[in-house]
Amino acid sequence: MTSHQNAQTMKPATAAKKLGVYLEATPAEFREGVVSRDELNALQADPPEWLRELRRNGPHPRPVVAAKLGVSISGLARGGITEALTTEQIEALKAESPEWLQKERATQAEVRKEAERIKEKHTQQGQPGARS
């Protein structure tokens, strides 16, 4: 009896999330198929032009938009941003710097500061990564 190993596959939505791209902006053949782990690794190692273009100009999924704006995904929602944005739209928002964006950036900075404080506290107590 021989053992047969099946290639691990994932839905296009999962692959798009791992690649950091907006699924609806990917080519039809990507959206309509399945992606094997080897195919995903190949896309990450040597991205085709469509993937490089999406990463460069978007539209970007909300987690990427949030990261580029320096806010949380919840902060995007509070600011009324519920759709994918292009790099150009993100840059325009940064330049405009609406009040909600300033507020969310300040909130995110406080969250990071508090997380760092807690991490430092645990490190000093000899408990790296411990949570209370």
Side-chain angles (χ1 to χ4, degrees):
M1 199 187 256
T2 60
S3 65
H4 184 276
Q5 184 176 2
N6 292 333
Q8 182 182 6
T9 60
M10 62 194 82
K11 294 178 183 176
T14 303
K17 186 174 182 180
K18 289 180 181 285
L19 292 169
V21 295
Y22 186 56
L23 177 63
E24 285 73 21
T26 61
E29 59 270 11
F30 181 86
R31 288 191 310 268
E32 295 165 2
V34 294
V35 180
S36 73
R37 173 61 65 190
D38 289 340
E39 290 169 330
L40 179 70
N41 290 340
L43 286 170
Q44 289 172 324
D46 186 21
E49 183 55 35
W50 65 263
L51 182 54
R52 287 194 300 270
E53 180 67 21
L54 275 178
R55 286 178 170 169
R56 187 172 35 253
N57 298 315
H60 303 286
R62 289 183 320 145
V64 174
V65 173
K68 286 179 178 276
L69 290 173
V71 300
S72 67
I73 294 172
S74 299
L76 280 181
R78 286 189 292 271
I81 307 295
T82 58
E83 299 297 318
L85 297 179
T86 64
T87 300
E88 187 177 311
Q89 291 169 314
I90 292 168
E91 293 305 318
L93 260 176
K94 285 180 179 178
E96 183 183 315
S97 193
E99 187 177 329
W100 72 264
L101 181 57
Q102 294 173 32
K103 181 180 175 199
E104 292 300 334
R105 282 180 162 172
T107 299
Q108 193 67 13
E110 286 299 315
V111 168
R112 283 192 294 268
K113 192 171 161 183
E114 179 64 8
E116 185 60 35
R117 185 192 68 77
I118 291 169
K119 180 181 174 186
E120 182 66 27
K121 178 182 172 186
H122 288 304
T123 301
Q124 287 175 355
Q125 292 175 350
Q127 304 168 2
R131 294 180 177 211
S132 35

